[in-house]
């Protein structure tokens, strides 16, 4: 799971990031509302922790813009204030939960787990498409009785494609989701891992292949031949 932390207090944002990383979450951090909104608009995050008082764009306007643009990522808003009006405003603008600073890490983690369960995340251990199954716990790709182990990035790419089997997945989306928003990964990194996955699909004798859509991206294809 990938979580975005938008908090202008650098020490606090780093502390939250460390708490989340200790729980094996992948974390991106932004220290102002404008930058945080750009990150969040990518749609790659499983949850967003968003401060109210931010430079450039405040948290209320960030969450309002996200909902206006149909970004449904769960948002937990943070504030140093404990006034009912602030909570009501945040929730009315589209936030899913509200926490007052200071808070204990156990409560933050519990609220993240609750929100992602509510969104249907981290429930399925297995994804299927035509003749293949992807086990997210064992990192195995299976077709019939044959199976093969995937690396972490191979798993993440295959998970992304199996979650959107009818859609074309762009290289940019793969880089952002698998390598991270600020990654230096380039198109050739994606091409290498797509090649690995094609070989593994061939190894398990699947009729599924990863097709290339020129200048657009990749999509899953199934052949009955």
């Amino acid at each position: 799971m990938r979580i975005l932390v938008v908090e202008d207090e650098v020490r606090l944002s780093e502390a939250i990031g460390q708490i989340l990383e200790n729980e094996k979450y992948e974390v991106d951090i932004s220290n102002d509302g404008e930058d945080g909104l750009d990150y969040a608009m990518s749609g790659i995050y499983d949850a967003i922790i968003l401060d109210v008082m931010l430079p450039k764009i405040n948290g209320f306007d960030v969450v309002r813009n996200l909902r206006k643009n149909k970004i449904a990522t769960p948002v937990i808003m943070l504030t140093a204030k404990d006034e009912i009006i602030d909570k009501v405003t945040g929730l009315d603008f589209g936030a899913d939960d509200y926490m007052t600073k200071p808070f204990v890490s156990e409560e933050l983690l519990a609220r993240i787990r609750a929100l992602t369960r509510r969104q249907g995340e981290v429930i399925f251990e297995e994804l299927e498409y035509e003749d293949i199954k992807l086990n997210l716990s064992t990192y195995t790709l299976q077709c019939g009785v044959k199976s093969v182990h995937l690396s972490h990035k191979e798993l993440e790419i295959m998970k992304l494609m199996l979650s959107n089997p009818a859609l074309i997945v762009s290289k940019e989306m793969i880089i952002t989701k698998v390598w991270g928003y600020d990654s230096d990964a380039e198109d050739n990194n994606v091409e290498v891992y797509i090649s690995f996955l094609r070989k593994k699909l061939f190894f398990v004798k699947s009729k599924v292949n990863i097709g290339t859509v020129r200048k657009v991206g990749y999509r899953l294809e199934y052949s009955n031949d």
Side-chain angles (χ1 to χ4, degrees):
M1 287 182 58
R2 182 177 293 274
I3 296 179
L4 173 64
V5 178
V6 188
E7 165 61 63
D8 65 324
E9 295 180 41
V10 175
R11 290 177 64 182
L12 177 58
S13 65
E14 291 177 348
I16 294 172
Q18 188 61 58
I19 290 168
L20 297 174
E21 288 174 354
N22 289 344
E23 296 296 314
K24 309 303 181 185
Y25 293 114
E26 295 183 48
V27 182
D28 291 323
I29 294 175
S30 171
N31 297 125
D32 70 69
E34 186 175 85
D35 199 37
L37 179 59
D38 286 342
Y39 273 59
M41 285 292 292
S42 68
I44 68 168
Y45 296 99
D46 299 287
I48 298 170
I49 299 171
L50 176 67
D51 190 28
V52 170
M53 302 301 292
L54 293 166
K56 299 183 180 179
I57 303 176
N58 67 50
F60 295 140
D61 288 338
V62 170
V63 74
R64 180 168 57 182
N65 273 282
L66 291 177
R67 301 310 185 228
K68 181 180 178 181
N69 285 279
K70 311 300 182 185
I71 303 295
T73 309
V75 173
I76 299 175
M77 298 201 75
L78 303 179
T79 182
K81 300 178 181 179
D82 193 20
E83 298 178 9
I84 294 298
I85 187 62
D86 289 321
K87 296 181 180 181
V88 171
T89 301
L91 295 171
D92 281 348
F93 281 178
D96 298 272
D97 202 354
Y98 216 104
M99 292 187 67
T100 303
K101 296 184 284 187
F103 52 84
V104 295
S105 58
E106 290 80 5
E107 182 183 4
L108 176 62
L109 294 170
R111 288 177 184 246
I112 291 171
R113 290 193 296 269
L115 279 181
T116 52
R117 281 199 302 270
R118 205 176 304 162
Q119 293 291 318
E121 300 291 340
V122 205
I123 292 178
F124 302 107
E125 290 191 355
E126 194 171 79
L127 297 174
E128 297 185 29
Y129 174 72
E130 297 294 350
D131 63 0
I132 58 173
K133 294 180 181 180
L134 179 67
N135 191 301
L136 305 180
S137 298
T138 62
Y139 281 56
T140 53
L141 181 68
Q142 180 178 350
C143 177
V145 298
K146 299 204 70 172
S147 65
V148 64
H149 183 80
L150 303 185
S151 70
H152 176 70
K153 284 188 170 57
E154 289 171 345
L155 178 86
E156 289 299 316
I157 293 172
M158 205 68 204
K159 176 183 172 183
L160 181 61
M161 301 200 73
L162 287 172
S163 298
N164 305 278
L167 301 180
I168 298 172
V169 181
S170 69
K171 291 180 180 178
E172 291 77 13
M173 181 184 294
I174 293 173
I175 289 172
T176 303
K177 187 68 176 176
V178 177
W179 275 268
Y181 194 88
D182 284 333
S183 169
D184 292 328
E186 299 179 351
D187 287 359
N188 63 328
N189 296 97
V190 176
E191 291 162 7
V192 167
Y193 278 92
I194 292 293
S195 175
F196 291 161
L197 286 170
R198 284 171 172 159
K199 290 175 182 177
K200 291 188 174 182
L201 285 166
F202 180 79
F203 175 78
V204 297
K205 300 187 183 303
S206 172
K207 292 183 179 179
V208 174
N209 188 33
I210 301 173
T212 300
V213 182
R214 185 175 171 79
K215 295 185 178 180
V216 181
Y218 303 98
R219 67 180 170 199
L220 295 178
E221 297 175 347
Y222 180 75
S223 173
N224 286 309
D225 298 335

